[in-house]
Amino acid sequence: MLCPLLAFLVQALLGKKSISGNIALVAILASTLISLFGVFLPIWNETTILQKWAWFTIGQHTLHVGILINNLTALMQLIVCIIALPVHIYSRAYMKGDSGIHRYWMYLSLFCFAMLGLTVSLNLLQLYIFWELVGFASYLLIGFWFTKETAAQANKKAFLINRIGDIGFLIGIALVYANCGTLDLSTLFGKTSVLSSMDKNMSWVTFAGLAFFLGAMAKSAQFPLHVWLPDAMEGPTAVSSLIHAATMVAAGVFLLCTVFPLFNETVLFVITIIGTLTALSAAIFALGQYDIKKVLAFSTISQLGFMMVGVGIGAWNAAMFHLTTHAFFKCLLFLSAGAVIHEMAHLKAKAQLTIDPQDLRHMGGLRHFMPKTFVCMVIASLSLAGFPLTSGYLSKDSIVITAYEWASHLGTAYMLIPVLLIIVSLLTAFYIGRLIFKTFFGSFKYRSLTGAGISFHEAPKAMLIPMIFLAAGSLFPFFGISLTDYHSAWIMHTLETESSYPTLAQAHLFIPALLTGGAILAWLIGWNWYVKQKYPLSENNVWVHFAHKQSYINEFNERVFVNGTIGLSRILYTFDRYVVDGLTKFFSWFVRQLSVVVYWFDKHIVDGLVNLVANATYYIGHLVRHVQNGQLQTYLGFALTIVVLGILYLIIK
Amino acid sequence: MITLTHFLVVSACIFCIGLYAVLAKRSAIMILVGIELMINAAILNFVAFGKYDKLNYGGQVFALFAIVLAAAAVAVGLAIILNVYRNFKTINPENIHELKD
């Protein structure tokens, strides 16, 4: 865990000299090896390791920092490392030649450090610190190309929206501390937990649960706080893949899994509803996007919705399982998309086209040029769609089936949630099919250019190797021997949760069948629409617009919150300007007038008196100095005059 | 007959002439002469009032004293005028204003 921090510091010191990223690569490789052999293998299925040091003391309470490694954190740490490693390798090829590359490696190392720190934090406050660090590092990475206006806007947006969630998290921490007196995760949620002796239906528990969920909502891009994630695609593609596939957005789900024992039924139900809503809305929005990365972004949001539902229905092990598999295939999707974008950008630069290299409408037929990328992307897409033989099949079905069991246990009204999830799954199959068809099938618009000496070829090896590795990870054997039974997957096996509802055998049969059949149907429709050019909807269709514009949530936010804030600040400005400034100005005016009066008094009365004395003396002296003219006879004349006056005085008296 | 009053009037006239000479003349010698006139007016008064001292003739004695003193004073005054002339190359008091502030 400390390796990336070291790498970050070393690279920060080296500055521009460290452009190769070798340091970051070595650091993350070391972290991966340590977390796999040193942490994951010994810890998995064994007892929890706990190491703590006193941090500081407030009054009677001592806060500890430390490392908590149990099954959950070890798994999470491993995922982060294993996903970060291919991304690092991939970045070496993808970011080659970028002028800010030294910054890139620095931020990447910082991000990995924060993420690893987040996973093993013992204390909620420590978790919060790393949570913030992750947010900050992602801010830096999203705005990596900060000279681009949209990137600067996007990272600001991501930062601001994450602040909303952080407030929730902080409130949650404060509530837990106020009521339990400790933030130590092991004491809070361990075997002899503080919470188990408490009544879970108290209002503060609900409130704290909702506050934590708010934090997770912002970080994991849940509706309606998801708006930052599609914009965050402004960062380099490798970053999008790392942040949005594996780590940062998963942090929200990880948090919910960590504090799971805190949630009571109300909170869980809210989480389920929000998760479903997110999954559904994001899937619909994904249908209308033309930017290849934005499709993937909405797909991520949608899958995060799935995970939230998993947490909400109590099957947080299924959520973690889906998180793991999703990390692999979503990372792969992003990396493949990155490879495509990379080539498109090259083509654009060489042929001097003015196209957006990320726009799906300009692609098509690329499977002839990039067959390996095509295969990788297809595997990832199948996994995303939940096709049998892939990892996504196991994890997604585990959530849908558990949701079905949960709903049938609770009542008919709750059936809406699994039904919606199934619809979302089908939509997922459709939009990812659309992505594949539009990118790799059909005819390539710029085919004529490739004949004219401009090569359009497969991605370089450094990009392909990570992709092939991830593709292998997207297949089922990585997670379990059984093709259909997700219960036998090792992750599910270890992170066993007690379910309060009976297992329904028939659900295990018909739901996967329904999903697979529906997915194939969706692909057939997609094939017809996109490859055979029989697109039934016009581009100006209201629904297409609705989906493309993300149901105008951004516009709504703009109008309500941004304009509201601007209006409020304008009112405050006016208030400030006229009332506060007015008062200040009045005071200053008053003081100025007062000082004028005082000045006048000073000048005319005080100075006047002094000057009067001085002037009087001066004039008298002036008068008298005529007497002292040095003329002897005048002196005598004066003497005579005085004598005569004296005599006259004597006579008159 | 000639009374005391006549003496005093003459004396006053001489005094005034002397006074005028002291205040108005443009030569230090003439001022010295004016001073002499004023001393002589005073001496005349001594002699005139001496008629009231028939025993000791104090008036006459004092007049003799004053004449001697005046002669000495004139000698001193002339010496001063000579020195002033040496310094300033003039004996016009208007041009000698070292005493000016």
Side-chain angles (χ1 to χ4, degrees):
Chain A
M1 170 195 147
L2 285 174
C3 289
L5 177 64
L6 276 178
F8 165 68
L9 291 176
V10 168
Q11 284 174 121
L13 287 176
L14 283 179
K16 285 210 168 180
K17 278 175 276 179
S18 65
I19 50 170
S20 67
N22 282 337
I23 300 168
L25 198 60
V26 167
I28 196 73
L29 186 65
S31 289
T32 312
L33 291 178
I34 291 168
S35 66
L36 179 61
F37 295 110
V39 178
F40 186 73
L41 292 178
I43 295 298
W44 188 249
N45 255 335
E46 301 292 320
T47 47
T48 305
I49 286 187
L50 204 126
Q51 187 80 44
K52 59 173 158 184
W53 302 274
W55 186 10
F56 58 83
T57 308
I58 305 173
Q60 303 291 318
H61 297 282
T62 305
L63 275 176
H64 292 92
V65 283
I67 293 176
L68 172 74
I69 301 173
N70 53 23
N71 287 337
L72 180 66
T73 57
L75 174 66
M76 190 70 195
Q77 194 178 24
L78 188 67
I79 297 170
V80 172
C81 284
I82 282 198
I83 296 299
L85 181 61
V87 169
H88 273 71
I89 300 171
Y90 180 90
S91 299
R92 285 199 63 173
Y94 190 77
M95 298 299 290
K96 200 159 61 187
D98 194 286
S99 57
I101 187 97
H102 59 286
R103 275 188 302 123
Y104 178 79
W105 291 112
M106 206 168 86
Y107 296 163
L108 212 55
S109 295
L110 177 67
F111 184 82
C112 289
F113 159 67
M115 202 59 217
L116 291 175
L118 181 104
T119 57
V120 295
S121 289
L122 171 71
N123 180 310
L124 273 178
L125 195 61
Q126 193 187 350
L127 190 70
Y128 182 74
I129 291 170
F130 283 112
W131 179 273
E132 288 290 320
L133 264 178
V134 168
F136 174 63
S138 73
Y139 167 79
L140 291 175
L141 283 171
I142 293 168
F144 177 67
W145 285 317
F146 56 84
T147 44
K148 222 161 70 177
E149 177 65 25
T150 45
Q153 293 284 356
N155 72 349
K156 218 184 304 170
K157 193 167 173 182
F159 204 66
L160 285 177
I161 289 177
N162 273 307
R163 286 276 80 66
I164 300 174
D166 294 343
I167 288 175
F169 193 4
L170 202 58
I171 293 172
I173 290 176
L175 277 173
V176 166
Y177 190 73
N179 287 286
C180 300
T182 178
L183 292 174
D184 197 326
L185 286 173
S186 58
T187 7
L188 271 175
F189 306 123
K191 287 262 173 340
T192 53
S193 82
V194 183
L195 282 166
S196 58
S197 58
M198 286 185 178
D199 180 15
K200 266 202 177 177
N201 288 321
M202 282 189 294
S203 59
W204 78 264
V205 179
T206 311
F207 196 66
L210 287 176
F212 277 120
F213 180 53
L214 181 66
M217 258 169 83
K219 199 62 107 197
S220 287
Q222 294 297 294
F223 183 87
L225 296 182
H226 69 268
V227 287
W228 65 270
L229 206 144
D231 286 17
M233 292 298 137
E234 289 297 338
T237 310
V239 167
S240 305
S241 127
L242 180 63
I243 295 181
H244 306 118
T247 49
M248 181 176 149
V249 291
V253 179
F254 173 74
L255 175 71
L256 292 188
C257 292
T258 310
V259 298
F260 186 77
L262 184 73
F263 297 138
N264 58 25
E265 277 174 14
T266 324
V267 180
L268 288 177
F269 189 61
V270 171
I271 295 177
T272 314
I273 300 264
I274 298 273
T276 316
L277 208 60
T278 310
L280 184 64
S281 60
I284 292 172
F285 300 154
L287 293 175
Q289 301 303 315
Y290 291 112
D291 188 321
I292 185 168
K293 280 175 81 180
K294 284 206 171 158
V295 175
L296 295 179
F298 277 112
S299 140
T300 307
I301 298 173
S302 177
Q303 298 307 308
L304 287 166
F306 266 94
M307 294 173 209
M308 288 292 171
V309 172
V311 174
I313 58 178
W316 61 269
N317 56 347
M320 274 313 281
F321 185 32
H322 194 49
L323 194 158
T324 315
T325 57
H326 174 256
F328 281 97
F329 61 71
K330 186 48 62 63
C331 189
L332 176 56
L333 277 174
F334 268 114
L335 294 189
S336 310
V340 171
I341 294 166
H342 199 61
E343 288 310 311
M344 287 300 283
H346 270 263
L347 180 72
K348 176 191 167 189
K350 280 184 200 153
Q352 291 171 347
L353 297 170
T354 51
I355 53 166
D356 180 3
Q358 303 188 4
D359 199 323
L360 279 176
R361 282 169 294 192
H362 299 301
M363 302 174 188
L366 293 183
R367 72 180 188 282
H368 301 299
F369 303 101
M370 313 172 79
K372 287 175 194 153
T373 312
F374 169 62
V375 171
C376 288
M377 192 126 180
V378 165
I379 290 173
S381 305
L382 289 176
S383 193
L384 174 65
F387 205 70
L389 300 182
T390 59
S391 59
Y393 172 74
L394 294 172
S395 60
K396 200 176 204 174
D397 284 4
S398 73
I399 290 179
V400 179
I401 292 171
T402 319
Y404 180 75
E405 287 167 354
W406 172 80
S408 57
H409 178 65
L410 282 175
T412 343
Y414 292 91
M415 282 312 264
L416 192 60
I417 286 175
V419 168
L420 282 176
L421 287 183
I422 289 171
I423 293 174
V424 171
S425 291
L426 300 184
L427 286 175
T428 308
F430 183 75
Y431 68 67
I432 199 67
R434 170 175 173 269
L435 181 90
I436 294 281
F437 294 144
K438 281 211 153 198
T439 315
F440 291 104
F441 291 88
S443 57
F444 190 37
K445 249 189 197 171
Y446 304 100
R447 186 163 205 132
S448 55
L449 286 171
T450 56
I454 293 166
S455 63
F456 194 82
H457 51 77
E458 188 61 80
K461 266 216 177 89
M463 282 156 82
L464 266 181
I465 290 167
M467 280 154 62
I468 290 165
F469 167 68
L470 289 170
S474 302
L475 293 173
F476 75 99
F478 206 69
F479 297 97
I481 311 294
S482 168
L483 284 183
T484 50
D485 187 13
Y486 61 84
H487 282 299
S488 61
W490 50 268
I491 291 176
M492 295 294 279
H493 207 64
T494 313
L495 299 172
E496 197 64 66
T497 52
E498 314 137 24
S499 65
S500 55
Y501 31 86
T503 318
L504 297 174
Q506 80 272 22
H508 284 258
L509 263 178
F510 83 83
I511 288 182
L514 186 63
L515 290 181
T516 313
I520 292 172
L521 192 67
W523 284 329
L524 283 179
I525 296 172
W527 176 270
N528 260 330
W529 283 11
Y530 295 111
V531 182
K532 305 260 182 195
Q533 312 280 333
K534 286 186 203 145
Y535 192 59
L537 302 172
S538 76
E539 286 223 351
N540 295 321
N541 187 302
V542 177
W543 294 104
V544 176
H545 260 280
F546 178 77
H548 180 60
K549 291 281 180 194
Q550 305 161 25
S551 87
Y552 301 99
I553 285 175
N554 277 322
E555 284 74 8
F556 175 79
N557 280 351
E558 169 91 22
R559 206 156 293 162
V560 174
F561 294 110
V562 177
N563 286 351
T565 313
I566 290 173
L568 185 66
S569 45
R570 212 169 274 154
I571 292 169
L572 287 177
Y573 173 74
T574 320
F575 179 80
D576 216 38
R577 180 78 195 260
Y578 292 105
V579 180
V580 179
D581 277 21
L583 268 176
T584 318
K585 271 184 188 152
F586 172 75
F587 270 115
S588 67
W589 175 85
F590 178 75
V591 171
R592 222 179 316 147
Q593 295 307 311
L594 194 68
S595 60
V596 166
V597 171
V598 170
Y599 174 74
W600 183 90
F601 180 83
D602 217 35
K603 171 140 190 186
H604 291 95
I605 309 294
V606 179
D607 278 21
L609 269 176
V610 176
N611 283 345
L612 184 71
V613 172
N615 284 343
T617 317
Y618 175 77
Y619 283 112
I620 291 169
H622 191 68
L623 276 177
V624 175
R625 73 196 280 264
H626 290 298
V627 176
Q628 303 280 333
N629 59 0
Q631 298 293 328
L632 194 64
Q633 287 166 319
T634 331
Y635 293 165
L636 288 174
F638 275 113
L640 175 72
T641 316
I642 296 302
V643 170
V644 170
L645 285 175
I647 291 170
L648 278 176
Y649 172 73
L650 285 176
I651 292 168
I652 291 164
K653 194 184 75 168
Chain B
M1 71 170 272
I2 298 168
T3 61
L4 180 64
T5 312
H6 293 97
F7 281 103
L8 289 182
V9 168
V10 170
S11 164
C13 285
I14 295 169
F15 184 84
C16 286
I17 292 163
L19 190 60
Y20 168 77
V22 166
L23 291 183
K25 284 296 170 190
R26 296 264 174 267
S27 164
I29 302 290
M30 291 310 287
I31 291 171
L32 205 59
V33 170
I35 290 170
E36 281 306 309
L37 279 176
M38 284 156 77
I39 290 173
N40 282 327
I43 291 169
L44 189 58
N45 275 8
F46 273 125
V47 176
F49 285 108
K51 80 166 187 179
Y52 297 110
D53 185 16
K54 297 262 176 35
L55 281 173
N56 297 324
Y57 299 103
Q60 270 86 348
V61 172
F62 225 105
L64 279 175
F65 257 117
I67 288 164
V68 173
L69 280 175
V74 165
V76 173
L78 274 173
I80 288 172
I81 286 167
L82 260 177
N83 276 317
V84 165
Y85 181 75
R86 257 188 217 152
N87 266 341
F88 296 97
K89 299 294 172 209
T90 178
I91 47 168
N92 186 346
E94 278 191 353
N95 297 335
I96 303 162
H97 33 68
E98 288 283 285
L99 287 175
K100 198 174 157 187
D101 63 340

